[in-house]
Amino acid sequence: MFVELSGQIEELKNFVFSLRERINKILSIDFFGTVSRIRVSIHVLGRGVNIIDVGLLEAIDVLLDNLDMGPRLMPHEVSILLDDIVRVSRIINMLEDMNRFIMRIRSLKAEIEKSIIDFGESKSILGILNNTEESLIALIRQEDILQRYVNDPNLWETRRNSIDRVLNEINRKLSRIRRAIGISPLEIPQAKIVGGVLLFGSDIGKYLLRKILGAKTKIIIFTQSIHNFIVRFGGRRTRILPVLEEKVREGVDVWVFSRHPLNMPRIPIDYIYALRRIYSMRLFRHMICWHMHMKIVVVDSETIIGSANFTGHGFRGLGEISVIIRDPTYAMVIEETYRSLSEKRHICCGSCERKNFCGSLYDLMPRILEDAIARAKRNNYLKTLVKLMSISNEITRYPSR
């Protein structure tokens, strides 16, 4: 929370004005006609702290009046004001979620109805989509139930996740039909970027480490290269790969996708050392892609995407940026991306002339070392050659997977 608002007043006002524009856009949609009667509890500051119940548009006016008093507000009043802004923003997000779902449902219905292929499940899927759309519109028109969602965001979070799962499953079924008849998917998830989701520099590594340590179900890492760098937590120093190894032993799935080492300048020996360690552990699902350049980490239902590789410099470098997307839809899309790349059925794989170089690390590691040793000999990299030959001798002790 801010101790004072000087320097942030105009920025906050612009944000609140954008909320008004979003409300007006919602109110212009026919099935949102009753939304204008939603009541919101808002604080009136400056004369003590009074709470009033007003409509969404009136709430915007109260927020702007409170912002006009910014330099004169006490610290606890600043905290209340920011909480009110976040609450109104959350309500608008909920209404936009509902509209997004209805538009997505109608798009899927139109695709099924126009399809020239009868894929057997079409009537069943249309029934599910119709029921979901009708229940959402009924919810929007029932003010008392809608108000319950406004007052308890956890209720909507549960409902939203449930609808997302249903629509994502339908979309997965339809994706097989799209590939068969050459129709590209139209649905692109919408990220709601609210304050506090951008990270810079070394804060990226601190946040990622904290999330990884707390992972419950899965960790998916897309990175150009991966190093076994040192991390510090709880007053102790360790390397990152043993941390990931421990998460696997706790029952967490760890999936990694990284670039082929020979599609890099010179020979990335630190990267190959890390691959050797992963190869020896045999605990991760690790895939190699000739062109991999993505920098994404998924931990459970949260996605962190930006410029940082899964290396020491990526965790601590000052020139990095990451955005946090707390939307399980994105985590599911990234998980499916991992699967489709692994199976070489991703759209990128279709136009790739080097996909024969891609596959599981456990299948490719001996060939990677063989080719790296040949390159080191050609270029007279004597020190690197010695290291590579040592690694090659070492991995022969591990049976093929």
Side-chain angles (χ1 to χ4, degrees), residues 96 159 162 195 265 274 337:
E96 289 175 336
R159 181 75 174 270
S162 175
T337 300

Side-chain angles (χ1 to χ4, degrees), residues 383-400:
K383 291 182 179 179
T384 301
L385 178 61
V386 171
K387 293 176 181 177
L388 290 171
M389 293 180 69
S390 174
I391 295 172
S392 181
N393 290 333
E394 181 182 347
I395 71 166
T396 59
R397 300 199 301 267
Y398 305 110
S400 60

Side-chain angles (χ1 to χ4, degrees), residues 244-281:
L244 294 175
E245 180 181 10
E246 182 61 28
K247 297 309 295 186
V248 174
R249 299 190 191 283
E250 292 175 9
V252 177
D253 289 329
V254 176
W255 299 357
V256 181
F257 226 128
S258 59
R259 191 171 192 168
H260 198 294
L262 298 189
N263 190 22
M264 293 184 177
R266 295 181 66 88
I267 299 175
I269 195 67
D270 288 342
Y271 177 28
I272 292 177
Y273 269 126
L275 294 180
R276 184 268 303 166
R277 173 63 189 267
I278 295 170
Y279 184 88
S280 68
M281 288 191 299

Side-chain angles (χ1 to χ4, degrees), residues 224 259-265 289-292 354 375:
Q224 181 170 313
R259 191 171 192 168
H260 198 294
L262 298 189
N263 190 22
M264 293 184 177
C289 169
W290 182 261
H291 293 292
M292 179 54 57
R354 309 303 295 271
R375 179 185 290 187

Side-chain angles (χ1 to χ4, degrees), residues 101 104-105 108 125 128-129 132 159-173 332:
F101 281 139
R104 184 179 179 188
I105 288 168
L108 291 171
I125 292 175
I128 294 171
L129 292 172
T132 306
R159 181 75 174 270
R160 182 172 68 90
N161 291 341
S162 175
I163 296 172
D164 259 328
R165 283 193 295 271
V166 170
L167 297 184
N168 287 335
E169 179 59 30
I170 289 174
N171 197 54
R172 275 193 291 273
K173 290 179 180 179
M332 293 175 69

